[in-house]
Amino acid sequence: MLKKKLLGVLIVMGCTVSARSFAGEDVWLLVDTQTQSMEVRKGDKTVAVLENIAIGRNGAGEKNHRGDDITPLGNYRIGWINEKSAFRKFFGLTYPNVDNADNALKKGKIDLDTYEAIARAHSAGQIPPQNTDLGGQIGIHGLGSGSLSIHRSMNWTHGCIALTNDQIDQLSQWVEKGTLVTVK
Protein backbone atom coordinates (compact mmCIF):
# COMPACT_ATOMS: atom_id res chain seq x y z
CA MET A 1 0.00 0.00 0.00
CA LEU A 2 1.50 3.30 -1.12
CA LYS A 3 0.21 6.69 -0.17
CA LYS A 4 1.80 10.08 -0.20
CA LYS A 5 0.68 13.64 0.22
CA LEU A 6 1.65 16.08 -2.51
CA LEU A 7 0.59 19.71 -2.31
CA GLY A 8 -2.37 18.79 -0.11
CA VAL A 9 -3.64 16.13 -2.54
CA LEU A 10 -3.87 12.53 -1.45
CA ILE A 11 -2.30 10.30 -4.09
CA VAL A 12 -3.82 6.87 -3.72
CA MET A 13 -2.52 3.60 -5.07
CA GLY A 14 -4.50 0.78 -3.56
CA CYS A 15 -5.19 2.22 -0.12
CA THR A 16 -8.52 2.71 1.56
CA VAL A 17 -9.46 6.13 2.88
CA SER A 18 -12.75 6.70 4.64
CA ALA A 19 -14.56 9.40 2.69
CA ARG A 20 -18.21 8.41 2.88
CA SER A 21 -19.13 11.97 3.82
CA PHE A 22 -18.15 13.16 0.34
CA ALA A 23 -20.68 11.07 -1.62
CA GLY A 24 -23.30 13.25 -3.26
CA GLU A 25 -21.83 16.55 -2.05
CA ASP A 26 -20.75 18.07 -5.36
CA VAL A 27 -18.28 15.24 -5.85
CA TRP A 28 -17.34 14.67 -9.47
CA LEU A 29 -14.67 12.74 -11.35
CA LEU A 30 -12.12 14.08 -13.80
CA VAL A 31 -10.61 11.35 -15.94
CA ASP A 32 -7.43 12.44 -17.71
CA THR A 33 -6.80 9.99 -20.53
CA GLN A 34 -3.39 11.54 -21.27
CA THR A 35 -1.92 11.10 -17.77
CA GLN A 36 -4.10 8.01 -17.21
CA SER A 37 -5.32 9.26 -13.87
CA MET A 38 -8.65 10.00 -12.24
CA GLU A 39 -9.22 12.86 -9.84
CA VAL A 40 -11.98 12.70 -7.29
CA ARG A 41 -13.04 16.31 -6.92
CA LYS A 42 -15.32 18.15 -4.56
CA GLY A 43 -16.15 21.40 -6.30
CA ASP A 44 -12.78 22.76 -7.42
CA LYS A 45 -10.79 20.86 -4.76
CA THR A 46 -9.05 17.57 -5.54
CA VAL A 47 -9.82 15.02 -2.82
CA ALA A 48 -7.87 12.06 -4.25
CA VAL A 49 -6.01 10.98 -7.35
CA LEU A 50 -6.18 7.42 -8.65
CA GLU A 51 -3.20 6.74 -10.86
CA ASN A 52 -2.34 4.14 -13.49
CA ILE A 53 -5.86 3.70 -14.83
CA ALA A 54 -6.44 1.87 -18.11
CA ILE A 55 -8.63 3.00 -20.99
CA GLY A 56 -9.70 1.56 -24.34
CA ARG A 57 -7.22 -0.44 -26.40
CA ASN A 58 -7.43 2.20 -29.12
CA GLY A 59 -7.09 5.17 -26.79
CA ALA A 60 -9.59 7.95 -26.16
CA GLY A 61 -11.51 10.16 -28.55
CA GLU A 62 -14.74 10.13 -30.50
CA LYS A 63 -16.32 6.68 -30.56
CA ASN A 64 -17.23 5.84 -34.13
CA HIS A 65 -19.11 2.60 -33.58
CA ARG A 66 -19.75 -0.26 -31.20
CA GLY A 67 -16.62 -2.37 -30.79
CA ASP A 68 -14.05 0.29 -31.76
CA ASP A 69 -12.29 -0.02 -28.35
CA ILE A 70 -12.19 3.78 -27.91
CA THR A 71 -12.93 5.48 -24.60
CA PRO A 72 -15.34 8.34 -25.36
CA LEU A 73 -14.48 11.88 -24.31
CA GLY A 74 -17.13 14.12 -22.79
CA ASN A 75 -19.34 14.71 -19.78
CA TYR A 76 -21.41 11.83 -18.45
CA ARG A 77 -23.17 10.80 -15.26
CA ILE A 78 -23.06 7.54 -13.41
CA GLY A 79 -26.33 6.06 -14.61
CA TRP A 80 -26.28 2.72 -12.81
CA ILE A 81 -24.12 0.73 -10.41
CA ASN A 82 -23.51 -3.01 -10.58
CA GLU A 83 -21.99 -4.16 -7.28
CA LYS A 84 -21.74 -7.76 -8.53
CA SER A 85 -19.97 -7.20 -11.82
CA ALA A 86 -17.43 -9.66 -13.20
CA PHE A 87 -15.11 -6.63 -12.99
CA ARG A 88 -15.76 -6.37 -9.22
CA LYS A 89 -17.89 -3.21 -9.51
CA PHE A 90 -19.20 -1.39 -12.54
CA PHE A 91 -20.29 2.26 -12.60
CA GLY A 92 -22.18 2.63 -15.89
CA LEU A 93 -21.88 5.97 -17.67
CA THR A 94 -24.68 7.76 -19.48
CA TYR A 95 -22.93 7.25 -22.81
CA PRO A 96 -23.88 8.21 -25.47
CA ASN A 97 -24.63 11.78 -24.43
CA VAL A 98 -26.41 14.39 -26.57
CA ASP A 99 -23.10 15.74 -27.93
CA ASN A 100 -22.08 12.22 -29.01
CA ALA A 101 -25.48 11.77 -30.67
CA ASP A 102 -25.35 15.19 -32.35
CA ASN A 103 -21.94 14.48 -33.87
CA ALA A 104 -23.05 11.02 -34.99
CA LEU A 105 -26.25 12.35 -36.56
CA LYS A 106 -24.33 15.01 -38.51
CA LYS A 107 -21.94 12.32 -39.81
CA GLY A 108 -24.75 9.93 -40.72
CA LYS A 109 -23.74 7.31 -38.15
CA ILE A 110 -27.18 7.29 -36.50
CA ASP A 111 -30.64 8.23 -37.68
CA LEU A 112 -32.96 10.91 -36.32
CA ASP A 113 -35.01 8.39 -34.30
CA THR A 114 -31.89 7.22 -32.48
CA TYR A 115 -30.78 10.78 -31.86
CA GLU A 116 -34.18 11.66 -30.41
CA ALA A 117 -34.22 8.57 -28.18
CA ILE A 118 -30.83 9.55 -26.75
CA ALA A 119 -31.89 13.18 -26.27
CA ARG A 120 -35.20 12.16 -24.62
CA ALA A 121 -33.40 9.86 -22.18
CA HIS A 122 -30.98 12.60 -21.16
CA SER A 123 -33.66 15.24 -20.74
CA ALA A 124 -35.63 12.81 -18.53
CA GLY A 125 -32.54 11.95 -16.45
CA GLN A 126 -32.60 8.36 -17.69
CA ILE A 127 -29.97 6.03 -19.10
CA PRO A 128 -29.72 6.53 -22.88
CA PRO A 129 -30.23 3.55 -25.20
CA GLN A 130 -27.25 1.22 -24.85
CA ASN A 131 -27.81 -0.70 -28.08
CA THR A 132 -27.19 1.98 -30.73
CA ASP A 133 -24.53 1.88 -33.42
CA LEU A 134 -22.49 4.19 -31.15
CA GLY A 135 -22.16 1.39 -28.60
CA GLY A 136 -22.98 1.37 -24.94
CA GLN A 137 -22.13 -0.27 -21.63
CA ILE A 138 -19.26 2.18 -21.13
CA GLY A 139 -18.29 2.62 -17.52
CA ILE A 140 -15.70 2.62 -14.78
CA HIS A 141 -14.81 -0.78 -13.38
CA GLY A 142 -12.24 -2.82 -11.53
CA LEU A 143 -10.25 -5.83 -12.65
CA GLY A 144 -12.32 -8.59 -11.09
CA SER A 145 -10.15 -11.66 -11.57
CA GLY A 146 -8.20 -9.96 -14.38
CA SER A 147 -4.43 -9.60 -14.45
CA LEU A 148 -2.90 -6.73 -12.48
CA SER A 149 0.31 -7.02 -14.52
CA ILE A 150 -1.59 -6.58 -17.81
CA HIS A 151 -3.51 -3.65 -16.30
CA ARG A 152 -0.23 -1.98 -15.35
CA SER A 153 1.37 -2.56 -18.75
CA MET A 154 -1.27 -1.60 -21.32
CA ASN A 155 -4.66 -0.13 -22.11
CA TRP A 156 -6.87 -3.18 -22.35
CA THR A 157 -10.56 -2.27 -22.20
CA HIS A 158 -13.18 -2.11 -24.94
CA GLY A 159 -13.75 1.59 -24.15
CA CYS A 160 -14.28 1.57 -20.40
CA ILE A 161 -12.10 3.12 -17.72
CA ALA A 162 -10.46 0.43 -15.59
CA LEU A 163 -9.06 0.71 -12.09
CA THR A 164 -7.52 -1.89 -9.81
CA ASN A 165 -9.90 -3.68 -7.46
CA ASP A 166 -8.60 -1.65 -4.53
CA GLN A 167 -9.11 1.58 -6.47
CA ILE A 168 -12.69 0.70 -7.51
CA ASP A 169 -13.51 -0.14 -3.89
CA GLN A 170 -12.09 3.22 -2.84
CA LEU A 171 -13.99 5.06 -5.57
CA SER A 172 -17.28 3.54 -4.42
CA GLN A 173 -16.96 5.51 -1.19
CA TRP A 174 -17.25 8.77 -3.12
CA VAL A 175 -19.66 8.19 -5.97
CA GLU A 176 -23.31 7.33 -6.47
CA LYS A 177 -25.86 7.37 -9.26
CA GLY A 178 -25.86 10.83 -10.81
CA THR A 179 -22.21 11.65 -10.10
CA LEU A 180 -20.68 13.74 -12.90
CA VAL A 181 -17.78 12.14 -14.79
CA THR A 182 -15.73 14.29 -17.18
CA VAL A 183 -13.46 12.32 -19.52
CA LYS A 184 -10.82 14.44 -21.25
Side-chain angles (χ1 to χ4, degrees):
M1 176 177 352
L2 174 63
K3 93 178 148 168
K4 54 187 171 177
K5 198 113 169 166
L6 178 65
L7 299 175
V9 175
L10 182 63
I11 306 294
V12 182
M13 290 179 219
C15 73
T16 303
V17 176
S18 179
R20 216 17 107 194
S21 63
F22 288 109
E25 296 178 19
D26 298 316
V27 168
W28 61 285
L29 306 176
L30 176 60
V31 178
D32 188 328
T33 60
Q34 295 297 308
T35 63
Q36 295 197 252
S37 64
M38 176 185 296
E39 290 183 45
V40 178
R41 305 202 47 146
K42 184 172 185 210
D44 60 358
K45 179 183 174 192
T46 300
V47 176
V49 178
L50 305 173
E51 296 183 322
N52 302 312
I53 67 171
I55 60 173
R57 292 176 186 170
N58 290 324
E62 182 179 342
K63 276 189 83 58
N64 293 305
H65 57 83
R66 175 180 303 283
D68 62 10
D69 293 343
I70 293 174
T71 300
L73 302 176
N75 293 309
Y76 307 97
R77 298 259 175 205
I78 294 177
W80 73 96
I81 299 172
N82 180 355
E83 296 278 349
K84 297 181 189 210
S85 165
F87 294 103
R88 190 167 187 113
K89 293 179 184 172
F90 186 91
F91 300 108
L93 300 182
T94 55
Y95 171 84
N97 65 22
V98 176
D99 289 338
N100 302 135
D102 189 50
N103 289 336
L105 180 64
K106 287 176 185 171
K107 293 178 180 179
K109 294 178 184 175
I110 61 171
D111 61 22
L112 185 58
D113 288 341
T114 302
Y115 172 84
E116 289 175 347
I118 292 167
R120 270 193 313 275
H122 279 282
S123 67
Q126 298 175 341
I127 299 166
Q130 296 294 292
N131 59 350
T132 72
D133 290 341
L134 296 176
Q137 301 294 315
I138 299 294
I140 302 167
H141 60 72
L143 295 177
S145 61
S147 169
L148 185 58
S149 62
I150 288 175
H151 176 78
R152 289 182 174 157
S153 66
M154 63 184 285
N155 288 320
W156 58 273
T157 77
H158 292 296
C160 290
I161 298 151
L163 308 173
T164 67
N165 289 334
D166 288 339
Q167 288 173 325
I168 199 72
D169 288 345
Q170 167 135 5
L171 184 64
S172 66
Q173 298 178 42
W174 285 302
V175 300
E176 58 191 17
K177 267 181 73 173
T179 300
L180 174 66
V181 179
T182 298
V183 183
K184 70 172 192 153

